[in-house]
Amino acid sequence: MNFKRISIAAIPAIGLGLMPAAAFAQVTQDTTFTGSVPGNCSYTTAAQDSVALSYDSASSGTLSGESNNIGIQCNFANTNVQLGAVEAAGANPATTTNSARLLDSEGEEIAVSGEGPSGSEALSNSANATENVTIELTSTGASAPGSYSYTVTLTTLES
């Protein structure tokens, strides 16, 4: 008789090969990863900009001036901007009536503030592109001699 030897280690492999495919359960697991990129804006000018105001004797004394370009660059499109209320930055010699205007690079008005802040207005910027704006200040009623100083805050908001 001709006997063939089969190793004991080969028997389970043979047995598994004879089992139907349905006997092996396929197990999968999906793992979902989530994250977010925060909206970020930066200004390409100094954070504190100082503007000399010119004086005109009209309207009991009018002080006016316009900032240099303020470049706003955000990593998202269609940011909103807001001008804070015009604040006297010290003890001005006389009480004045103040208004500030935010202007785009063509001189078109975007937002206006005065005793209170402006509303939130669309800047219509593109993502990662610099949008240039300026702030114009007019203060009437500066009738008493002396130094006058005002602060206007520009805020960018994710829409």
Side-chain angles (χ1 to χ4, degrees):
M1 284 199 167
N2 193 0
F3 287 101
K4 302 253 181 194
R5 290 190 175 167
I6 298 176
S7 84
I8 293 178
I11 293 175
I14 293 170
L16 291 175
L18 299 175
M19 295 180 79
F24 294 108
Q26 182 177 0
V27 178
T28 63
Q29 175 179 327
D30 291 334
T31 301
T32 303
F33 296 87
T34 60
S36 61
V37 175
N40 184 30
C41 292
S42 61
Y43 297 111
T44 59
T45 58
Q48 300 287 328
D49 198 14
S50 182
V51 177
L53 296 172
S54 61
Y55 177 75
D56 185 346
S57 60
S59 300
S60 299
T62 300
L63 295 167
S64 61
E66 187 171 340
S67 72
N68 293 323
N69 277 335
I70 302 168
I72 301 172
Q73 186 177 41
C74 300
N75 65 350
F76 56 92
N78 301 318
T79 187
N80 287 331
V81 291
Q82 182 178 32
L83 279 180
V86 179
E87 301 286 338
N92 290 344
T95 301
T96 55
T97 302
N98 313 306
S99 84
R101 298 186 327 143
L102 183 66
L103 306 172
D104 66 16
S105 58
E106 282 85 42
E108 298 292 322
E109 187 176 280
I110 299 171
V112 178
S113 69
E115 297 298 315
S118 73
S120 177
E121 303 295 336
L123 184 60
S124 300
N125 63 304
S126 298
N128 300 313
T130 300
E131 184 73 28
N132 288 312
V133 298
T134 59
I135 300 173
E136 178 184 84
L137 176 78
T138 303
S139 179
T140 59
S143 57
S147 294
Y148 291 77
S149 182
Y150 304 91
T151 299
V152 179
T153 302
L154 172 62
T155 305
T156 53
L157 310 161
E158 193 167 356
S159 55

